[in-house]
């Protein structure tokens, strides 16, 4: 991945954390927030430069152990990722869309080394949520705390329980997600 795209992804992540996208805020958050720093390492580990990519993979692996976030650099992730807490596990075959939030103890797994979840855009994955198997989570969905999701979820649904069931529609995606990035970030990535 080119440096310009990595920079855009990092600043979209920064926007999710702070609603700002300037260099001063970047350094402040990078130095004080280990979860954001993990995401910076994750983004740089996708660099086209082998040496740079390798170095950041090592940094990511080391910091990932400390903050307890297991997220393979090969996982396709859209802009605006938000991981505010640790204890997050993501299978290497998962796909994560734009503006997704992964809260503490979230687990995205597969069954017997099979495919894993495909997560749409602006999905809020609450604390202690488990996604199991080859399922699709529709865009703008909210997965409530403690949900265990084993079946596909349509777009704009609030899901709770074990097994997860849709209980209502999401009327405003901003109610659950903070500082969502708009489509201008997607245009920047295409440049």
């Amino acid at each position: 991945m080119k440096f310009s795209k990595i920079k855009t992804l990092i600043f979209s992540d920064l926007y999710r954390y702070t609603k700002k996208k300037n260099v001063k805020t970047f350094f402040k958050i990078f130095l004080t927030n280990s979860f954001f720093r993990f995401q910076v390492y994750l983004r740089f580990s996708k660099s086209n430069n082998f040496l740079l990519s390798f170095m950041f993979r090592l940094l990511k692996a080391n910091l990932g152990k400390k903050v307890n976030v297991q997220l393979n650099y090969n996982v396709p992730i859209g802009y605006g990722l938000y991981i505010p807490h640790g204890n997050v596990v993501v299978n290497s075959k998962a796909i994560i869309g734009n503006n997704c939030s992964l809260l503490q103890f979230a687990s995205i797994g597969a069954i017997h080394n099979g495919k894993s979840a495909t997560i749409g855009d602006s999905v809020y994955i609450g604390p202690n949520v488990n996604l199991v198997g080859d399922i699709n989570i529709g865009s703008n969905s909210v997965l409530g705390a403690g949900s265990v999701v084993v079946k596909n979820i349509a777009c704009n649904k609030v899901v709770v329980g074990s097994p997860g069931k849709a209980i209502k529609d999401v009327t405003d995606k901003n109610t659950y997600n903070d500082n969502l990035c708009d489509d201008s970030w997607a245009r920047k990535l295409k440049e």
Side-chain angles (χ1 to χ4, degrees):
M1 186 180 296
K2 292 182 180 179
F3 176 75
S4 60
K5 288 188 178 188
I6 293 171
K7 180 181 169 189
T8 299
L9 290 168
I10 289 170
F11 276 89
S12 70
D13 295 345
L14 177 67
Y15 185 82
R16 289 293 313 278
Y17 277 85
T18 65
K19 204 167 187 169
K20 296 178 183 176
K21 50 187 177 183
N22 59 53
V23 174
K24 180 180 175 184
T25 303
F26 168 80
F27 283 112
K28 178 181 175 185
I29 299 300
F30 181 81
L31 294 173
T32 60
N33 188 316
S34 54
F35 299 104
F36 176 72
R37 189 165 49 250
F38 174 85
Q39 288 181 224
V40 171
Y41 296 163
L42 174 69
R43 298 298 192 177
F44 270 110
S45 68
K46 296 180 185 229
S47 172
N48 289 341
N49 181 314
F50 175 77
L51 188 59
L52 188 66
S53 174
F54 181 74
M55 181 184 73
F56 277 101
R57 278 187 257 162
L58 291 175
L59 289 169
K60 181 191 80 63
N62 186 43
L63 184 57
K65 289 176 187 175
K66 291 179 182 175
V67 298
N68 203 10
V69 175
Q70 296 176 26
L71 181 54
N72 191 299
Y73 73 95
N74 285 323
V75 173
I77 302 170
Y79 59 81
L81 179 65
Y82 182 63
I83 304 174
H85 307 288
N87 300 306
V88 173
V89 178
V90 178
N91 184 283
S92 63
K93 295 179 181 174
I95 298 172
I96 301 173
N98 303 319
N99 284 320
C100 287
S101 301
L102 301 173
L103 274 66
Q104 65 270 24
F105 298 103
S107 176
I108 302 170
I111 299 174
H112 305 295
N113 295 323
K115 290 184 177 180
S116 189
T118 300
I119 301 167
D121 297 338
S122 302
V123 173
Y124 174 90
I125 300 175
N128 205 32
V129 169
N130 294 296
L131 304 178
V132 183
D134 183 13
I135 57 175
N136 291 310
I137 307 299
S139 294
N140 306 319
S141 292
V142 175
L143 308 180
S147 298
V148 178
V149 182
V150 295
K151 293 183 180 177
N152 293 340
I153 302 298
C155 295
N156 302 305
K157 297 295 181 188
V158 175
V159 176
V160 297
S162 176
K165 293 181 182 176
I167 59 166
K168 67 179 187 175
D169 291 336
V170 173
T171 54
D172 181 12
K173 64 184 177 181
N174 294 315
T175 302
Y176 302 98
N177 284 313
D178 291 330
N179 306 334
L180 292 177
C181 300
D182 60 23
D183 291 338
S184 66
W185 294 94
R187 288 191 294 277
K188 290 178 188 178
L189 288 171
K190 289 180 183 177
E191 292 174 355

